[in-house]
Amino acid sequence: MMDRAKEAGQSREGLLRSYKQGESIPLRKSLEEAYRSDSESDIDATEFLDRDPLNDRSQPAVTAYAPTMQLRALRNSFARRSKCLLIILAVLVIFWSILAGGGFFLYKQKPADGESPPWYPTPPGGTVAQWSESYKKAAELVKKMTLAEKVNITTGTGWQMGLAVGNTGPALNVGFPGLALQDGPLGLRFADNATAFPAGITVGATWNKDLMYRRGKAHGKEARLKGVNVLLGPCVGPLGRMPAGGRNWEGFGTDPVLQGIAAAQTIKGIQEEGVIATIKHFIGNEQEHFRQSWEWGLPNAMSSNIDDRTLHEMYGWPFQDSVKAGVASVMCSYQMLNNSYSCGNSKLLNGILKDELGFQGFVQSDWLAQRSGVGSALAGLDMTMPGDGLTWAAGKSLWGPELSKSVLNGSLPVSRLNDMVTRVVAAWYQLGQDDKTKFDGQGPNFSSWTNDKMGKINHGSPNDHDEKVVNKFVDVTGTGDDAHKIIALQVATEGTVLVKNEGNVLPLSKDGWPESEKHDTGMRVGIFGEDSGEGEGPNHCMDRACNQGTLGSGWGSGAVEFPYLISPMAALKKAFNMEKVYTTAYPTNSPPLKKMPELLADQDFCIVFANSDGGEGFVAWEGVRGDRNDLFLQKGGDKLIEEVATGCGGGKGSTIVVIHSVGPVVVEKWVNLPGVKAVIMANLPGQESGNAIADIILGNVNPSGKLPYTIGKSLEDYGPGAKILYYANGVVPQQTFHEGLYIDYRHFDKSNINPTYEFGFGLSYTKFEYSNLVVTPVLAKTPLPSPRPKGIAAPEFDNKIPDINEALFPSNFRKLTKFVYPYIGKASDIKKDRYPYPEGYEVKQHPSEAGGDEGGNPDLWNVYANVSVDVTNIGSVHGKEVVQLYLGFADVAGEAKNVDFPVNVLRGFEKVYIMANDTRTVHFNLTRRDLSYWDIVRQNWVMPSEGTITVKVGASSRDLRLTGYY
């Protein structure tokens, strides 16, 4: 086992840190100068790794080790008192016993053998027609490459070794450039002059396929214009099993179909711009606690234990949609799946992703998610990021020179390396990145590590002293009708969900009271809550990792630098007619209401803002370590709402509550108070936040958002599987998904629990009526899909072990410290032997009958039934309705009658604009996959062919108004 002191405490983005403790790390300055200057942050990140984090007193405290280090400090203070020392040591042992679940002496045990069956070798890419030309070009290029060039393409150059967050080396002899990989799912992380789009959860709340696509296209265009080759998004993992999960906000909602459709549309938009999209995190990264080795003080990451059917029908479903959409990269996740690290899980990567789903692109690791060298390559990993191995920013890669050695000594087949490289190069051709008019091959025109014009290309190397222009400040946000802020505003507005509107209190008029009403004074509107205001500015905290001011996004690698953030307070004050409406604003959660009761008593309407924040687990804020600690509002938001609702207008005013949140919040404390007349779930609206909420409140836009998750009355209502594992239950923490298919609304339906607001729910300023549901069979029901098609032949290579000279350092080569090179020092480094292959490597695997093309067996995507329904706007306001289609399997017969099915499962949705008193006919197509379940015995999708499948159409998961049968 490796030395734990050299693996200690690293996260994807840098050293695990607590902003309250103020550790120094080498990261970019923010636009608000919240990040340190270059001189202040010139600290070698690996200094931490070279020490014992538990005993080196010069190391600043790290969150995961804080209890231990506090005890160490006590130990030192009583150094001359042996009795006290023994007591402290005893406490340490007890602490680690509790933490590790198996006791201190089990702390460094290896994890048990994985529970995923082996699946070898990796299926080669280039077996489907739609990628054939790209693979032909790629194969010709790869055949001309040296070993060092091949290794360069598959291995990142190291953390901060290049301008992007991830960089690969070039193959100069054949003209293939190094690639730049950049976060993230809602915009370009660390970039200037780029758009801060609404987060994925807000996109999901729009239920608008066109906006999903257009946001993706704008995002892709900005990435291309900034010189980015690979965009690290969209995100569909986590799916949202646990409502308090820290990164749920990066995805699109808690249903696999909603996630899958949103991801496919986003991928389509990004890749039309020539940028490689990355679907992530594959698979089971549902919480932040224990997601990564050492990040929480344990030597191993947790294991997400998911059964085969659940994996296919739930967590894998949106990835299948993404592969069908042609996604060119998949990112494997940090944690284990069934006790095998995801980035080294051969069943997952080789068997499911590359064979069954027919994935043709390349698999990249999450940053430091690779846990082995040859093993991960054999298991299906194609690219390691950022290139560093088990320790952060050390330049000691598991691949790089080690991959060169593995090929030369015969422990890694040359055929596997050729496939790894060809997959990357084929993706480059598939997206048209050989077009010099779109990609000049010069890399990013911005730096992730400094805002200054001049800087270092390899910021993380202490001996790179070459100053170059690293920031060209290219504005990629668009202008005029093509300005991306227009799309950002549309997504933010349509992703705002009105869940309560008692007495049609909304919309308010910007001109105050209606002329038909007599009032002694103009309308008085009070705006309350810290979430309504600017706070210290949107970029006050690094990676947005604190909750202050209005909440526009969650935190972590998925966050971006805001070019601006319109606050609700500023937008509302600007939107109201100042001559007729008197607005006052108190952007604090602690207004002096007891000392100055008139602040509330003198209002006709009170608009109160509150929020709940969370994010990626590499950083903590106020005790929230990525995953939220509960589902309540933060910073006293619930109390503020109660006080405002009770006192507004002396008890006679109307209170409107607006919530910005990374996920569902429990609203039972105040939602039924008499003064609370309206409630709006505004999600995470991005840079146009204030303009979006003003448009909704004032009726400039008719609300059309629908909840992408269920709002329950308590966390317990979501079921046992919905609870974060906050404390380790073993050396390798285990999170077993016992609930299977039953998360979110599926659990509420099965358990007959009434939520506060159900999945898919959302109000409008008009009303819609449904009629004339028609289900038309297209193809006859049969249990199994058609036989797997043969496919086309993959490219062939000369798989002879190359000459060792191809991997030796060139003479007079100037090496940069910590930079990951493909070269080895001398020929004697190669030790040829009979190296063992993984157990099961020689077992012949039969191609899955569920496979055969991108997205699986082509028959899975054939349409077996059409559905149509008429929707009429019976109100007086034009508006958009989200028509939702669910399937039920209660009336199936035959063997399927004994299969456990959820009450209802979402299988389609369409958002339509309908003018007042008009009717639109909405159409759906149901594919074989939509109508099937995963049979763990047949290892295939099986359609119930006896009895009838129930088709239900309506406005939410609990408002299904029409029923038909297939």
Side-chain angles (χ1 to χ4, degrees):
M1 177 171 285
M2 59 173 295
D3 183 352
R4 66 181 279 199
K6 291 189 176 181
E7 192 193 4
Q10 300 310 301
S11 75
R12 171 177 172 179
E13 311 311 334
L15 305 178
L16 182 63
R17 55 201 182 269
S18 165
Y19 292 116
K20 295 177 69 176
Q21 296 169 329
E23 288 109 47
S24 298
I25 60 169
L27 275 180
R28 173 189 182 88
K29 299 176 293 180
S30 81
L31 298 176
E32 308 302 323
E33 296 186 351
Y35 298 175
R36 300 161 184 81
S37 69
D38 289 345
S39 61
E40 291 172 319
S41 63
D42 192 19
I43 293 177
D44 184 353
T46 59
E47 288 179 10
F48 178 81
L49 301 175
D50 293 332
R51 304 186 181 113
D52 182 340
L54 302 182
N55 296 300
D56 185 357
R57 69 185 65 188
S58 66
Q59 167 63 28
V62 178
T63 304
Y65 298 106
T68 304
M69 300 198 63
Q70 290 163 6
L71 291 173
R72 178 183 53 73
L74 286 173
R75 182 196 68 189
N76 292 339
S77 68
F78 293 106
R80 296 180 181 178
R81 305 181 187 182
S82 59
K83 184 176 180 180
C84 290
L85 177 60
L86 290 174
I87 293 173
I88 297 303
L89 289 174
V91 172
L92 271 171
V93 171
I94 293 171
F95 168 75
W96 284 111
S97 297
I98 295 172
L99 181 66
F104 181 77
F105 298 105
L106 296 178
Y107 183 67
K108 293 182 70 175
Q109 269 193 356
K110 293 181 180 179
D113 288 341
E115 297 166 359
S116 273
W119 208 108
Y120 299 101
T122 302
T127 57
V128 303
Q130 52 270 41
W131 281 71
S132 61
E133 288 303 312
S134 295
Y135 265 88
K136 287 179 184 177
K137 294 177 183 178
E140 289 303 310
L141 204 65
V142 172
K143 289 174 183 178
K144 301 173 185 176
M145 292 182 186
T146 65
L147 173 59
E149 289 178 317
K150 293 176 182 179
V151 172
N152 246 1
I153 290 171
T154 60
T155 306
T157 54
W159 181 243
Q160 295 188 329
M161 298 299 173
L163 297 177
V165 297
N167 308 271
T168 61
L172 295 176
N173 293 328
V174 297
F176 187 82
L179 302 182
L181 297 80
Q182 194 74 10
D183 296 304
L186 68 76
L188 293 177
R189 186 185 184 203
F190 295 146
D192 58 89
N193 295 303
T195 305
F197 292 99
I201 199 67
T202 312
V203 178
T206 70
W207 296 66
N208 187 323
K209 296 177 185 177
D210 180 60
L211 280 182
M212 294 166 179
Y213 160 75
R214 288 169 53 209
R215 171 183 174 269
K217 190 170 178 64
H219 192 184
K221 185 174 184 178
E222 293 196 0
R224 176 172 60 80
L225 294 176
K226 282 289 188 180
V228 172
N229 301 95
V230 183
L231 194 54
L232 304 180
C235 174
V236 295
L239 178 62
R241 173 184 185 248
M242 291 164 277
R247 300 186 76 176
N248 292 352
W249 61 274
E250 295 185 38
F252 303 103
T254 56
D255 181 86
V257 170
L258 177 59
Q259 285 257 32
I261 291 173
Q265 292 297 320
T266 302
I267 290 163
K268 178 183 175 183
I270 291 171
Q271 296 198 160
E272 279 187 3
E273 287 295 329
V275 174
I276 295 170
T278 304
I279 195 69
K280 63 182 187 180
H281 306 87
F282 194 61
I283 196 168
N285 188 172
E286 293 293 314
Q287 69 169 58
E288 292 303 285
H289 283 70
F290 314 118
R291 65 168 185 162
Q292 187 179 5
S293 301
W294 291 111
E295 193 170 73
W296 298 89
L298 293 175
N300 290 292
M302 71 178 296
S303 176
S304 295
N305 304 320
I306 309 175
D307 68 86
D308 193 29
R309 184 182 175 197
T310 300
L311 185 72
H312 281 80
E313 293 187 32
M314 297 292 291
Y315 301 94
W317 184 289
F319 286 96
Q320 186 170 10
D321 282 335
S322 301
V323 174
K324 177 64 176 176
V327 72
S329 182
V330 171
M331 181 188 290
C332 50
S333 54
Y334 281 120
Q335 90 305 321
M336 299 184 192
L337 175 74
N338 299 332
N339 285 290
S340 175
Y341 277 103
S342 297
C343 290
N345 189 315
S346 63
K347 172 62 177 177
L348 181 65
L349 302 183
N350 290 339
I352 295 177
L353 181 62
K354 292 183 175 180
D355 175 57
E356 183 187 317
L357 300 188
F359 175 59
Q360 301 296 302
F362 63 95
V363 178
Q364 59 170 291
S365 71
D366 205 338
W367 270 228
L368 256 67
Q370 183 191 25
R371 310 307 298 169
S372 65
V374 172
S376 59
L378 295 174
L381 185 66
D382 303 306
M383 179 186 288
T384 178
M385 277 290 135
D388 304 288
L390 297 172
T391 56
W392 198 267
K396 298 176 182 178
S397 183
L398 291 168
W399 283 0
E402 300 303 320
L403 190 60
S404 297
K405 293 177 186 177
S406 300
V407 171
L408 292 170
N409 67 23
S411 58
L412 181 72
V414 177
S415 59
R416 175 77 268 261
L417 177 64
N418 285 334
D419 179 59
M420 292 158 60
V421 181
T422 306
R423 284 175 173 272
V424 177
V425 178
W428 184 76
Y429 277 119
Q430 184 77 354
L431 273 298
Q433 293 192 7
D434 56 325
D435 183 347
K436 298 296 185 183
T437 65
K438 294 184 176 180
F439 293 86
D440 60 13
Q442 301 302 307
N445 52 41
F446 70 100
S447 171
S448 297
W449 320 119
T450 178
N451 290 324
D452 299 332
K453 179 179 180 180
M454 305 298 293
K456 302 171 185 176
I457 300 294
N458 302 295
H459 186 85
S461 178
N463 59 339
D464 182 0
H465 303 299
D466 293 337
E467 291 278 328
K468 301 181 185 303
V469 175
V470 294
N471 279 309
K472 299 180 180 178
F473 307 108
V474 178
D475 191 331
V476 296
T477 58
T479 58
D481 293 340
D482 295 324
H484 297 160
K485 66 180 181 181
I486 297 173
I487 298 168
L489 176 59
Q490 289 176 322
V491 173
T493 306
E494 290 202 25
T496 299
V497 186
L498 177 66
V499 295
K500 182 176 182 179
N501 193 21
E502 187 177 308
N504 293 323
V505 66
L506 292 179
L508 303 180
S509 170
K510 69 178 180 66
D511 294 318
W513 302 114
E515 292 184 1
S516 58
E517 297 183 17
K518 300 298 182 182
H519 294 269
D520 295 332
T521 61
M523 182 186 289
R524 298 166 299 177
V525 177
I527 302 169
F528 299 87
E530 181 184 326
D531 185 68
S532 69
E534 290 84 0
E536 299 294 330
N539 300 318
H540 179 65
C541 292
M542 193 155 37
D543 285 329
R544 315 295 76 79
C546 63
N547 186 355
Q548 60 84 38
T550 193
L551 185 64
S553 83
W555 74 63
S557 63
V560 299
E561 305 287 324
F562 281 91
Y564 62 84
L565 177 54
I566 305 296
S567 73
M569 177 183 69
L572 284 167
K573 292 181 74 172
K574 181 179 179 180
F576 280 112
N577 184 338
M578 296 177 59
E579 295 182 358
K580 298 183 178 181
V581 179
Y582 179 65
T583 60
T584 52
Y586 310 93
T588 173
N589 283 8
S590 302
L593 301 180
K594 291 184 179 179
K595 291 184 178 180
M596 303 176 64
E598 65 273 13
L599 296 183
L600 286 175
D602 291 345
Q603 309 294 347
D604 298 303
F605 295 92
C606 298
I607 308 175
V608 57
F609 289 81
N611 64 34
S612 184
D613 199 4
E616 195 168 358
F618 69 82
V619 64
W621 165 82
E622 296 291 331
V624 179
R625 303 188 177 194
D627 305 309
R628 289 183 289 163
N629 297 331
D630 50 51
L631 299 185
F632 297 113
L633 294 170
Q634 296 169 353
K635 306 187 79 170
D638 291 303
K639 180 182 178 183
L640 174 66
I641 294 170
E642 291 180 62
E643 290 178 343
V644 171
T646 302
C648 185
K652 297 180 181 179
S654 297
T655 296
I656 299 158
V657 179
V658 181
I659 303 298
H660 291 118
S661 178
V662 292
V665 294
V666 172
V667 300
E668 292 305 298
K669 292 181 180 179
W670 46 263
V671 72
N672 294 313
L673 292 176
V676 175
K677 302 299 184 183
V679 178
I680 299 172
M681 298 295 170
N683 296 300
L684 299 172
Q687 66 185 39
E688 291 289 329
S689 174
N691 291 333
I693 197 63
D695 280 345
I696 293 294
I697 289 176
L698 298 181
N700 299 328
V701 176
N702 190 350
S704 62
K706 302 279 187 171
L707 289 175
Y709 46 71
T710 296
I711 296 179
K713 291 180 169 60
S714 68
L715 175 59
E716 286 67 29
D717 280 358
Y718 291 86
K723 296 182 179 179
I724 300 290
L725 182 69
Y726 293 107
Y727 301 99
N729 56 9
V731 181
V732 180
Q734 301 290 309
Q735 183 79 286
T736 301
F737 292 29
H738 291 295
E739 73 287 344
L741 308 178
Y742 296 98
I743 70 168
D744 201 76
Y745 72 91
R746 298 166 180 236
H747 165 76
F748 280 81
D749 290 348
K750 179 181 182 180
S751 303
N752 198 26
I753 298 173
N754 289 322
T756 306
Y757 300 112
E758 72 269 21
F759 174 83
F761 175 75
L763 299 173
S764 170
Y765 294 150
T766 189
K767 292 187 180 298
F768 300 95
E769 193 174 74
Y770 290 65
S771 62
N772 195 29
L773 176 66
V774 178
V775 180
T776 305
V778 175
L779 296 173
K781 289 187 285 187
T782 58
L784 295 172
S786 301
R788 173 176 176 145
K790 186 176 181 181
I792 63 176
E796 295 184 356
F797 297 89
D798 178 1
N799 292 320
K800 182 178 67 175
I801 294 178
D803 190 295
I804 195 170
N805 292 312
E806 293 186 16
L808 295 176
F809 267 106
S811 59
N812 301 318
F813 188 86
R814 175 177 173 262
K815 292 189 287 186
L816 291 176
T817 303
K818 299 184 182 179
F819 195 98
V820 177
Y821 296 103
Y823 304 112
I824 61 176
K826 53 187 182 299
S828 59
D829 289 343
I830 306 305
K831 309 294 184 184
K832 293 191 176 182
D833 202 344
R834 292 179 61 87
Y835 291 94
Y837 277 65
E839 182 179 347
Y841 190 85
E842 302 300 332
V843 175
K844 181 175 176 58
Q845 298 291 344
H846 298 284
S848 171
E849 282 300 310
D853 203 349
E854 276 189 300
N857 191 312
D859 193 21
L860 294 175
W861 303 95
N862 286 332
V863 175
Y864 275 70
N866 297 136
V867 178
S868 65
V869 63
D870 292 340
V871 182
T872 302
N873 183 343
I874 59 174
S876 58
V877 181
H878 306 330
K880 294 180 180 180
E881 172 69 328
V882 178
V883 185
Q884 302 167 43
L885 186 151
Y886 294 78
L887 295 182
F889 295 85
D891 296 322
V892 298
E895 65 178 44
K897 190 171 182 62
N898 298 318
V899 176
D900 182 25
F901 290 104
V903 177
N904 295 312
V905 291
L906 180 71
R907 283 296 182 261
F909 59 87
E910 295 292 339
K911 192 168 196 175
V912 291
Y913 177 76
I914 310 175
M915 299 179 68
N917 300 313
D918 198 4
T919 298
R920 290 278 304 274
T921 300
V922 181
H923 298 275
F924 297 92
N925 293 322
L926 291 173
T927 66
R928 170 178 278 277
R929 187 182 64 144
D930 291 331
L931 299 159
S932 300
Y933 66 94
W934 180 257
D935 189 307
I936 62 173
V937 176
R938 291 187 176 96
Q939 286 293 290
N940 209 338
W941 294 94
V942 175
M943 182 192 299
S945 57
E946 300 178 52
T948 57
I949 298 172
T950 308
V951 179
K952 309 173 187 181
V953 176
S956 77
S957 63
R958 293 219 168 175
D959 184 13
L960 299 173
R961 305 179 187 181
L962 301 174
T963 301
Y965 300 93
Y966 169 66

